[in-house]
Amino acid sequence: MKYLNYKIALLLTCLTQFSFAETGYRLWLRYDKIENQALLEKYSSQIKSINFEGNSATNLVAKKEILMAINGLLGKQVPFVSTNSASLIIGTPQSSSIIKAIINSDDLPKTADGFLIKSLAFNGEQKIMISATNDKGVLYGVFHFIRLMQANIPLVSLNISETPAIKNRILNHWDNLDGTVERGYAGSSLWEWHKLPGFTPTRYTDYARANASVGINGTVLNNVNTNALSLTVPYLLKTAALAKVFRPYGIKVYLSARFSAPIEIGGLKTADPLDPQVKQWWIDKTKEIYQYIPDFGGFLVKANSEGQPGPQNYGRNHADGANMLADALAPYGGIVMWRAFVYDDKVPDDRAKQAYSEFKTLDGKFKPNVLVQIKNGAIDFQPREPFHPLFGAMPATPVMMEFQLTQEYLGFSTHLAYLGTMFKEVLAADTYAKGEGSTVAKVISGKLDNHQLTAIAGVANIGSDLNWCGHPFAQANWYTFGRLAWNPEFSAGQLAEEWISLTFTNDKTAISGIKKMMMGSREAIVNYMTPLGLHHIMAQNHHYGPGPWVNDAGRDDWTSVYYHKADNVGIGFNRTATGSNAVAQYFPAVADQFGDVKQVPQKYLLWFHRIKWTDKLSSGSTLWDELVKHYYEGVKSVDSMQLTWVTMKGKIDEDRHQEVTQLLKIQHEEAKWWRDACLLYFQSFSKLPLPAGYEKPEHDLTYYQNLKFSFVPGIKN
Ligand code: GCV
């Protein structure tokens, strides 16, 4: 007996000591047993049984999720019951007679996808109800409820009514059919095209769960630099298989469409959008797509940009191209997302002005099911850009936002960059299109110009890596994108806290430390890469590391010198009336501010103005000294992040703590690399010394200029 007890004790020890590595695979959907004993007991007394009527595919996945979450969080099986004695009641008034009896359906949010979570008394018992007018709304309500429990929020007097501010909340995958991901730093593509349609691993379901949990309801599967093959039947079958997995989670699939597909896969001689045969080809192709994918979302198009074909090849304009596709999609309710990311080195004008110049005049010329998809800034997802002047400038056209979650210009997946602060900076920016308060958020949510068709896109940072996004903290950008797409009014800090508590811990000190790291992280990167409005000074092509010296890239607007214009006198791009006059594309209140060197926010100084090295700034320092200060501050911020992270040891799991420790070390080295390379290069013009007290760069400029890298991820090497 004694021996048996010993064996049992040994087995238990082994079992408790054995645990799976914390890979980050579970993202923010962890559902581990709640550690706070008092809360656990409280929750257990509040959720004794669940009633969830309804058998649609979406109901079934919501049931599975709530069961998995509650059983995990409470550490015990909570039964489903069919009576109104249940303490948690879920469903729509149509699917559930109990919901119908206990709720006045007028109280439910009217907008599709909205939900209501309410504490109420029924038959003398206290209950919680999750309801909506449609099954998708119920699913979102379920995920929200789970989030409350994961974040250890008391379930008392609940009365949460939410509706999404933006209708189409979409990820853009820049995934190629060969499994690579353009600007992807988290492994290869999730889509195993060669195994589709037969093989759909559970990972696809987990992808759908993660998206639905934050309200994302669409995904463009393939790169905007696209291959026409994705529109052929074998690939449509593969897309249909993915659509089938995502459908119950309320996620529609979309495809990037190659404008020249009628030639490449259709055997036509032209892709001219006004050619009747071309139009018919798209009508037939679209009909075929809907045969395979009845709820297909529509097309995303990159046209006449960076070598992609488009209507201008035939002397037509963007509206001609978009409208042709829109007509083909309209009978099925599909939409066109036509990108405004256009520029051409043959156009003798500031690249920052070209999208506005091309699109502004087309306002009102698009069919009702077209959205113009605009990047957050006028150049290209730089660490910091002022908001794109097209926001607010096309009142008669639905316009949508394109953010980049993958960190092409923000340190790939080795730098900790929380982009919530960047998203918010842009969303909260005031366009003054209709006077003060005409924020970018209001433009894209259709509120400013009264548009019903609204959308937002995020270029995905997701790949085959175990933890999905490469850097454990990069998951926060996926999370935050979804949550802000749902409600652009959420604050970056609130969402950071939320994500930390779901992903790492509910320990208050840890949350506040990690939040501090996250909230300062993007500014740190701006400081050590492109402070004071500098932009596009990264290495050529692969974009890994600094390259302010790049002066020959095949075309001027791909060089760095085009953007910083440093010489012995000063630095910066004059975009005022005496320069390219890009400021004039903004509404007067903004143009006046950005165009005036005394009023322009310092963070945009060199974006709009050319300043002498020795000019005094409002801070009292010369431009050179201020630039140096920012570069050094950037590195110092990474020091602080490292110090904070050390104090997280023991507060979060060892696996992810180790990973982030290592990544922060790389980030620190790379921050110094950026700082030293850029300052040495700019110093070769300013000829000014580093002010006293700053550590000297480790190497000379030639050393940094000679660094060469092979097989950098994110490009075709
Ligand atoms: C998909 C930048 C990137 C390209 C990307 C392009 C775009 O130029 O470097 O890789 O191409 O933006 O958004 O179309």
Side-chain angles (χ1 to χ4, degrees), residues 5-119:
N5 280 346
Y6 165 76
K7 286 290 258 191
I8 292 171
L10 192 69
L11 183 70
L12 283 177
T13 315
C14 289
L15 281 177
T16 49
Q17 284 181 356
F18 178 79
S19 63
F20 293 101
E22 279 287 5
T23 60
Y25 180 83
R26 291 187 293 161
L27 295 160
W28 47 87
L29 301 173
R30 290 164 63 82
Y31 312 159
D32 288 338
K33 190 170 171 186
I34 290 165
E35 283 170 12
N36 176 334
Q37 198 52 36
L39 187 76
L40 181 66
E41 280 165 22
K42 180 76 187 152
Y43 278 176
S44 301
S45 70
Q46 288 175 296
I47 309 171
K48 293 205 192 94
S49 56
I50 307 169
N51 174 279
F52 193 160
E53 307 286 319
N55 283 312
S56 72
T58 299
N59 289 150
L60 295 182
V61 298
K63 279 183 196 177
K64 206 169 157 191
E65 197 73 33
I66 193 84
L67 203 62
M68 181 161 54
I70 289 189
N71 289 350
L73 289 163
L74 300 187
K76 63 171 194 197
Q77 304 284 321
V78 173
F80 274 124
V81 295
S82 57
T83 62
N84 64 12
S85 64
S87 40
L88 177 61
I89 302 179
I90 307 173
T92 65
Q94 295 77 37
S95 66
S96 162
S97 52
I98 303 178
I99 290 280
K100 196 170 175 193
I102 62 175
I103 180 93
N104 178 352
S105 48
D106 287 345
D107 293 345
L108 293 176
K110 298 286 164 295
T111 320
D113 301 358
F115 61 81
L116 175 68
I117 303 178
K118 204 168 162 58
S119 309

Side-chain angles (χ1 to χ4, degrees), residues 174 182-183 223-225 302 305-306 339 341 343 351 375 380-381 402 408-409 543:
W174 286 358
E182 182 152 350
R183 310 306 178 183
N223 191 355
V224 287
N225 291 332
K302 172 175 177 178
S305 166
E306 300 186 329
R339 295 176 93 222
F341 177 67
Y343 66 99
R351 169 173 165 186
K375 286 191 181 182
D380 188 9
F381 297 139
E402 178 176 328
E408 176 180 0
Y409 301 104
H543 300 169

Side-chain angles (χ1 to χ4, degrees), residues 184 478 522 526 559 568 577 624 670:
W478 179 7
R522 183 266 185 145
V526 170
T559 65
N568 292 348
W624 171 250
E670 295 191 348

Side-chain angles (χ1 to χ4, degrees), residues 222-298:
N222 57 332
N223 191 355
V224 287
N225 291 332
T226 182
N227 187 324
L229 283 181
S230 58
L231 297 175
T232 58
V233 170
Y235 279 93
L236 292 179
L237 287 168
K238 295 168 193 282
T239 296
L242 288 171
K244 190 171 167 208
V245 178
F246 303 158
R247 190 167 293 122
Y249 291 91
I251 297 164
K252 281 187 182 181
V253 299
Y254 298 76
L255 288 172
S256 292
R258 186 160 165 88
F259 200 77
S260 51
I263 302 174
E264 286 148 16
I265 57 168
L268 300 188
K269 295 226 154 38
T270 174
D272 182 347
L274 301 192
D275 181 294
Q277 275 190 303
V278 173
K279 284 186 186 179
Q280 192 57 47
W281 187 86
W282 281 108
I283 289 171
D284 295 343
K285 179 49 72 184
T286 306
K287 186 171 172 204
E288 186 176 56
I289 296 175
Y290 279 92
Q291 272 160 14
Y292 293 108
I293 311 151
D295 54 352
F296 179 65

Side-chain angles (χ1 to χ4, degrees), residues 401-419:
M401 169 68 72
E402 178 176 328
F403 281 129
Q404 190 182 44
L405 317 187
T406 188
Q407 292 166 232
E408 176 180 0
Y409 301 104
L410 284 124
F412 291 14
S413 55
T414 36
H415 295 213
L416 192 165
Y418 173 54
L419 303 182

